[in-house]
Amino acid sequence: MEALIPVINKLQDVFNTVGADIIQLPQIVVVGTQSSGKSSVLESLVGRDILPRGTGIVTRRPLILQLVHIDPEDRRKTNEENGIDGEEWGKFLHTKNKIYTDFEEIRHEIEAETERISGNNKGISDEPIHLKIFSPHVVNLTLVDLPGITKVPVGDQPKDIEMQIKELIIKYISNPNSIILAVTAANTDMATSEALKVARDVDPDGRRTLAVVTKLDLMDAGTDAMDILMGRVIPVKLGIIGVVNRSQLDINQRKSVADAIRDEYAFLQKKYPSLTNRNGTKYLARTLNRLLMHHIRDCLPELKTRINVLAAQYQSLLNSYGEPVDDESSMLLQLITKFAAEYCHTIEGTAKYIETAELCGGARICYIFHETFGRTLESVDPLGGLTTIDVLTAIRNATGPRPALFVPEVSFELLVKRQVKRLEEPSLRCVELVHEEMQRIIQHCSNYSTQELLRFPKLHDAIVEVVTALLRKRLPVTNEMVHNLVAIELAYINTKHPDFADACGLMNNNIEEQRRNRMRDLPTAVPRDKGGSQSASASEQTDSGMGNWRGMLKKGEEFTASDRAAAQYPPPGMPQKGHAVNLLDVPVPVSRKLSSREQRDCEVIERLIKSYFLIVRKNIQDSVPKAVMHFLVNHVKDSLQSELVGQLYKTTLLVDLLTESEDMAQRRNEAADMLKALQKASQVIAEIRETHMW
């Protein structure tokens, strides 16, 4: 069991070498208010005066104090190796291998190091000072001395000094592997102890809190600390231990710690004879040593698991940084090949790193083809932007000066081309979306698939530039092909298309059926006699021979009065007698009720347009994705490797492209050092497990 504390000291040394605080090691954290006697308790445990003294805040940085018990053989060996003469010495982490045998010099170094980081304005810092004391008179302990809790800022102290100190204390005592040593003066009210209050905040069950009552000799006359030490005032699970500190006069008179411990024992024998064996500095040291050993034993399994997890993480991190470049030519070719392969794998859906947050690569391209592009085409109305008047106007324009007996085919071609042309814009937008996604794949590969590229920012930028240029070069080619697909449909309106012929046949049947229905609804003709028929026929021949002008006059005589009134006042726009006629004044078509003939013609054209438009839309929906895949996606996949090699694999570019980022080498070294520390820590724990068989 006694060997467990040196194990923690070894682990502390291991992690101190890399300046890391990623492992929360078991340690004893000393907490108390200013002038509660914290420093005296620590010096009593060390047996030497090592801590700065004064008024106000003296401890302004955490002091991690490791006490290492050494036997005579170890002491002799160390003295010979380092050329020193003494049974006790100290070492600071920040001064590397320098050994201090003068404890007065140790105190001065603590003061100097405190001012170096925290300044001389009584401010505090959370950066710790690491000190190891080697002595045959100490027990193995790891202690943390923190600034004393204060309420009111003094001098140049920050206004929030109380909050800063509390946050620093909470940071250390929140460590579940720590033991809290709550120091309270006996001449204060135990119920208002700030140290116990802050300890209870993070350790409500009190499983890792030990109370120390200082200044037992300074209590008012007629009072004692019996109830406090027995736990009747404030019970503490790990116990309450009373100690007697050196007074300021004793310190000024250079009273040794050893003499103070003897006087403390005499005081306890006189004042608390029944509690002497459970109080005092020596009992406190033994208790702390025992508690720390048991705490370490309980923490080691979880500590080992934590170290193994971190080792795996840092191994992965180190792998991502890669090894230093030895063969630049081979490395460049390897990175180019890997990027090209990962780019193609991302398109094909066989990439090692599958994105789970959103679609990417080939999956997004598929979505663009069949969801985005498909839905957009389906939302295009075959007759969108085309009114009945537009259709009627096209029919009339296509007939020229002659009235048409049938619907002119030219009007159908004119209007259907206009509608088919509307498919070009969404088709080109489909090309643009696929191009954007292939651009995004570059960043995806850089972030997830080929992290080695992050080591070489210039190579990364060069690859991005080459791929971007390749995509940019293929974009107009693909756009031209898609444009031609629409142009092909416009070039020849295939009215013999099987689907279109079926639609026309069905339409003709409907029209014929409607014509028969109309004929059926006409009134039956009245039969006439032959004479009447002949005279009527002769009359018609006469009228026909006279040019029908008599008939027209006859009809003119039958005008009603209202007709004559209308003739006297012609409608606006009609030429009046005595006025010039503008033959270029063509009436603009307005909404009006169409005749049955016009209605039928418009319906025929609209149905034909819709039928043919759906055929073309189906063709475009099928051919555009194929064109994009062939001219853009597959072409880039097939030529990416050769394009990258041709542009980048050049002797003149090797050194420049494979220049690492400024901090990459430093990060690789830090990760390597941390991995070594974790592996060494794991080895230390494994050794102690084998030794103690747990």
Side-chain angles (χ1 to χ4, degrees), residues 320 338 353 445-455:
S320 69
K338 186 172 183 180
Y353 297 91
C445 292
S446 301
N447 293 340
Y448 298 99
S449 304
T450 53
Q451 293 186 6
E452 295 92 338
L453 283 179
L454 301 179
R455 294 175 55 193

Side-chain angles (χ1 to χ4, degrees), residues 95-257:
T95 58
K96 305 303 179 185
N97 296 323
K98 183 178 180 180
I99 294 178
Y100 296 81
T101 56
D102 184 354
F103 284 81
E104 187 75 19
E105 188 180 359
I106 290 177
R107 182 166 70 250
H108 291 324
E109 181 60 31
I110 292 175
E111 293 174 347
E113 182 64 11
T114 298
E115 292 188 359
R116 185 179 69 85
I117 299 297
S118 304
N120 53 11
N121 64 344
K122 300 297 183 182
I124 67 169
S125 170
D126 63 350
E127 185 176 340
I129 299 173
H130 294 267
L131 171 62
K132 293 181 73 172
I133 299 295
F134 300 84
S135 171
H137 308 299
V138 299
V139 294
N140 291 310
L141 290 175
T142 300
L143 302 148
V144 181
D145 186 24
L146 297 174
I149 301 171
T150 185
K151 292 291 185 183
V152 181
V154 178
D156 296 333
Q157 288 179 351
K159 293 182 179 180
D160 62 340
I161 187 68
E162 178 186 3
M163 185 59 64
Q164 288 186 27
I165 293 175
K166 282 193 174 181
E167 288 177 354
L168 180 59
I169 291 173
I170 293 295
K171 174 184 175 181
Y172 277 87
I173 66 177
S174 296
N175 173 9
N177 296 332
S178 66
I179 295 175
I180 304 171
L181 190 64
V183 179
T184 304
N187 56 357
T188 61
D189 188 356
M190 189 79 167
T192 60
S193 170
E194 287 290 334
L196 287 175
K197 180 178 180 298
V198 74
R200 189 166 294 176
D201 290 341
V202 298
D203 182 32
D205 298 332
R207 294 180 178 178
R208 51 189 184 91
T209 301
L210 175 68
V212 175
V213 179
T214 62
K215 303 182 181 181
L216 292 176
D217 57 332
L218 297 182
M219 296 188 70
D220 294 339
T223 62
D224 60 30
M226 184 65 72
D227 289 342
I228 295 175
L229 296 176
M230 294 294 291
R232 296 170 187 156
V233 179
I234 301 291
V236 180
K237 282 190 177 181
L238 294 185
I240 301 174
I241 299 175
V243 297
V244 177
N245 305 112
R246 290 181 298 168
S247 66
Q248 189 61 47
L249 179 62
D250 293 337
I251 295 172
N252 293 339
Q253 293 178 350
R254 305 249 177 202
K255 183 178 181 178
S256 68
V257 174

Side-chain angles (χ1 to χ4, degrees), residues 1 4 8 25-28 175-180 207-208 238 288-301:
M1 284 283 290
L4 291 178
I8 295 301
L25 297 174
Q27 56 193 5
I28 300 169
N175 173 9
N177 296 332
S178 66
I179 295 175
I180 304 171
R207 294 180 178 178
R208 51 189 184 91
L238 294 185
L288 290 175
N289 179 263
R290 174 176 54 82
L291 290 175
L292 188 58
M293 283 192 298
H294 285 284
H295 200 59
I296 291 171
R297 182 192 62 190
D298 296 338
C299 294
L300 274 181

Side-chain angles (χ1 to χ4, degrees), residues 520-590:
R520 194 181 307 117
D521 295 338
L522 290 176
T524 306
V526 180
R528 298 180 180 180
D529 59 325
K530 293 183 179 179
S533 299
Q534 290 176 355
S535 61
S537 175
S539 174
E540 287 176 2
Q541 290 176 4
T542 304
D543 289 344
S544 176
M546 297 299 292
N548 277 345
W549 63 272
R550 291 179 179 175
M552 294 176 65
L553 289 177
K554 245 183 169 184
K555 291 180 180 178
E557 292 175 356
E558 296 173 358
F559 282 177
T560 62
S562 60
D563 294 333
R564 284 193 292 271
Q568 290 176 5
Y569 303 98
M574 291 294 291
Q576 299 183 18
K577 186 176 181 181
H579 293 275
V581 178
N582 183 5
L583 297 179
L584 298 179
D585 188 12
V586 180
V588 178
V590 295

Side-chain angles (χ1 to χ4, degrees), residues 391 407 412 507-508 511 598-610:
V391 176
V407 178
F412 163 71
M507 198 176 307
N508 290 335
I511 294 174
E598 292 173 336
Q599 183 71 31
R600 185 178 69 253
D601 291 348
C602 290
E603 287 180 0
V604 169
I605 291 296
E606 288 176 355
R607 291 182 182 181
L608 291 174
I609 290 173
K610 184 175 182 179

Side-chain angles (χ1 to χ4, degrees), residues 46-63:
V46 176
R48 289 279 194 159
D49 295 334
I50 61 170
L51 300 176
R53 295 281 182 171
T55 58
I57 297 182
V58 178
T59 304
R60 296 188 288 125
R61 288 178 61 184
L63 174 65

